[in-house]
Amino acid sequence: MTDSWATFGADLHLELSAGRGLRAGLTEALREAARGGRLAPGTRLPSSRTLAADLGIARNTVAEAYAELVAEGWLTARQGSGTRVAERARARRAAAAAPVRRPARRGPSYSLMPGSPDLGGFPRAAWLSAARRALTDAPNEAFGYGGDPRGRVELREALAGYLARARGVYADPERIVLCSGFAHGLQLMTRLLRARRVREAAVEAYSLDVHRDLLARGGLRTRPLGLDASGARTGELAGLGAGVGAVLLTPAHQFPTGVALTPGRRAAAVDWARTTGGLILEDDYDGEFRYDRQPVGALQGLDPDRVVYLGTASKSLAPGLRMGWIVAPPGLVDELLAVKGRTDWTSSALDQLTLAQFITSGAYDRHVRGMRLRYRRRRDELVAAVGSRVAVSGIAAGLHAVLDLPVGTERSLLQSAAWQELALEGLARFRHPDAAMPPRDALIVGYGTPSDSAWTPTLAALRATLP
């Protein structure tokens, strides 16, 4: 069989200098590649036979060039180790342009920032097992460019069953559109609302500023709804005017105040949507994690025609998966696909197939139950550690708790946390700039963030922060 350049070992791109002999041109090209750093110290070069075949020149020419560079110290040649770029090339490059080193800023040693699960709890073994099954069973077309813009049907079917069973969502696979997380889903919905000529959206008076910014960058003015112990005051929606065509809510576990939207407030939101033709965008970011009772079902179950349900694997598994889903009302799917585009540009098909396997095998339920126990234990330990100093408000759910503070003390306690090298967030950050409610001082403690090994010292740092 005739040798071909395509079957040899490592590729090496070289441009031989014009007007010079083959050996001299090759020697200079290799020397410059090593000097300039394109060939890093320790890089193993192709054999003389392989490189000669690649370049279409005699093997002796390559061998002579290698020998000259070994003599100069640019290359090393040892029996059994082949020809490699010498370590001295690193020193020459460093001496030619020594970088200016600045002292690194030390970050906090501990973190109770909200919004993240315990990443150390990711079920690596179970996920790997699901990935193997997904890869084995994946049809050939899953590796192609195209695909349904809604995402893989296997995952949409798995989600439809799970969401109906665990969250009370009416979710036909044909009405599920996969996206790369909640933020992506909210961007798509913002574009859809703008296409419908909606100009304003209501949000909770305390809410995630990142989400408000996404709405604003999409061209929607945000109007704040008041909050109290019963959740968002949805009865105020009618008073915001006809310009408000949507409302973004966190009904199961309000972020960041930690309360649940009461049945009466849920009904008021649905009545507003039915009367005005508006849409409710439901952010069910951590609905599976309720510790004192069975989780409250999704608001979408009250009216699947007026509520757009947005879910994500960011809290239940990990944000790095970039996996989210939108359950759209029947009449909204085509509009949503129009703003999303014709191709599924979200997470990879294999990741989608893996999550489908993970759900249908029961591994997702087992993981959620295990994490629910872990987070409940952490919340109980948090309350026991700080309950004598501050009041802990909000329902026993989710991955964060609210520590209520005396008026005017939030900023000083955040400074105290910084002295303890503890990353912590205050409630003031999440306040809508147009909110009419009186300011409230509190700390938002993300007890899901630390790893198990860091939990005890992190809790100690929090205790040292509090008065």
Side-chain angles (χ1 to χ4, degrees):
M1 180 177 176
T2 303
D3 289 334
S4 166
W5 69 269
T7 62
F8 287 129
D11 287 343
L12 178 60
H13 175 73
L14 292 172
E15 294 184 1
L16 275 60
S17 302
R20 307 187 65 176
L22 283 178
R23 184 180 66 77
L26 175 59
T27 303
E28 182 60 24
L30 288 167
R31 185 186 293 114
E32 284 303 313
R35 179 187 288 122
R38 209 162 51 78
L39 287 178
T43 300
R44 182 168 181 169
L45 300 183
S47 68
S48 58
R49 172 174 169 270
T50 298
L51 186 57
D54 286 352
L55 299 177
I57 61 179
R59 181 179 180 183
N60 284 345
T61 301
V62 177
E64 290 171 0
Y66 278 2
E68 182 173 338
L69 292 171
V70 168
E72 292 178 4
W74 289 106
L75 303 181
T76 61
R78 294 185 180 88
Q79 186 70 29
S81 182
T83 303
R84 297 178 181 271
V85 178
E87 289 298 324
R88 68 172 292 185
R90 184 192 307 273
R92 288 199 176 203
R93 190 170 65 252
V100 177
R101 296 188 179 274
R102 296 180 176 86
R105 290 186 61 184
R106 181 178 178 181
S109 300
Y110 314 104
S111 177
L112 287 170
M113 296 292 285
S116 176
D118 176 5
L119 301 179
F122 185 80
R124 296 170 188 254
W127 186 262
L128 181 59
S129 177
R132 287 196 182 102
R133 292 196 302 273
L135 186 59
T136 300
D137 298 341
N140 291 338
E141 51 88 13
F143 300 95
Y145 285 112
D148 192 321
R150 288 168 295 189
R152 293 297 307 181
V153 65
E154 296 90 341
L155 179 54
R156 290 187 282 114
E157 289 176 346
L159 283 170
Y162 173 78
L163 294 173
R165 169 172 53 83
R167 302 298 299 128
V169 172
Y170 290 92
D172 186 286
E174 298 302 303
R175 295 195 291 111
I176 296 178
V177 177
L178 302 179
C179 52
S180 61
F182 178 84
H184 181 213
L186 186 59
Q187 287 176 323
L188 294 176
M189 287 307 305
T190 300
R191 281 152 50 187
L192 183 150
L193 290 168
R194 285 287 293 173
R196 287 186 158 205
R197 301 187 183 280
V198 172
R199 295 296 178 265
E200 296 181 323
V203 296
E204 295 153 328
Y206 283 95
S207 53
L208 195 59
D209 52 348
V210 174
H211 295 167
R212 297 198 304 264
D213 291 344
L214 284 174
L215 293 168
R217 286 199 296 270
L220 297 179
R221 178 191 176 194
T222 58
R223 303 281 299 278
L225 280 179
L227 277 169
D228 55 29
S230 298
R233 295 201 285 262
T234 52
E236 297 176 358
L237 282 167
L240 294 181
V244 174
V247 57
L248 175 61
L249 298 173
T250 49
H253 186 221
Q254 202 281 326
F255 186 89
T257 64
V259 299
L261 194 64
T262 59
R265 299 277 176 90
R266 287 175 168 234
V270 170
D271 289 344
W272 168 82
R274 289 172 177 172
T275 302
T276 65
L279 290 173
I280 301 170
L281 310 183
E282 179 176 12
D283 179 4
D284 194 34
Y285 67 102
D286 64 0
E288 296 101 334
F289 297 114
R290 182 76 187 256
Y291 311 127
D292 57 346
R293 49 171 286 184
Q294 183 177 356
V296 176
L299 175 62
Q300 191 260 12
L302 287 180
D303 193 339
D305 292 332
R306 303 309 317 169
V307 180
V308 179
Y309 178 91
L310 296 102
T312 174
S314 295
K315 305 299 185 292
S316 57
L317 284 168
L321 291 178
R322 308 307 305 146
M323 200 85 70
W325 43 88
I326 305 170
V327 183
L332 213 67
V333 176
D334 289 342
E335 294 178 58
L336 183 57
L337 293 179
V339 299
K340 186 174 189 281
R342 296 183 178 180
T343 307
D344 179 18
W345 295 112
T346 57
S347 50
S348 77
L350 285 179
D351 286 341
Q352 294 178 39
L353 293 172
T354 299
L355 181 56
Q357 286 277 0
F358 197 72
I359 293 172
T360 56
S361 69
Y364 189 84
D365 285 273
R366 290 190 294 273
H367 172 70
V368 168
R369 285 196 299 269
M371 296 307 291
R372 190 182 291 143
L373 291 174
R374 179 185 296 197
Y375 293 142
R376 177 177 182 172
R377 182 168 59 250
R378 285 194 180 184
R379 190 180 192 279
D380 290 346
E381 291 171 354
L382 171 67
V383 173
V386 306
S388 61
R389 303 185 185 187
V390 294
V392 181
S393 62
I395 61 175
L399 309 183
H400 75 275
V402 182
L403 308 187
D404 290 303
L405 304 173
V407 176
T409 62
E410 179 181 311
R411 182 174 297 182
S412 63
L413 283 179
L414 288 176
Q415 181 61 57
S416 177
W419 290 335
Q420 298 296 328
E421 298 184 0
L422 171 64
L424 202 56
E425 197 63 83
L427 182 61
R429 171 196 158 181
F430 303 105
R431 179 183 171 85
H432 193 289
D434 298 331
M437 298 169 56
R440 174 184 170 190
D441 287 67
L443 298 176
I444 311 302
V445 177
Y447 53 79
T449 303
S451 63
D452 280 347
S453 60
W455 173 240
T456 298
T458 301
L459 200 56
L462 176 63
R463 284 197 300 265
T465 295
L466 297 175

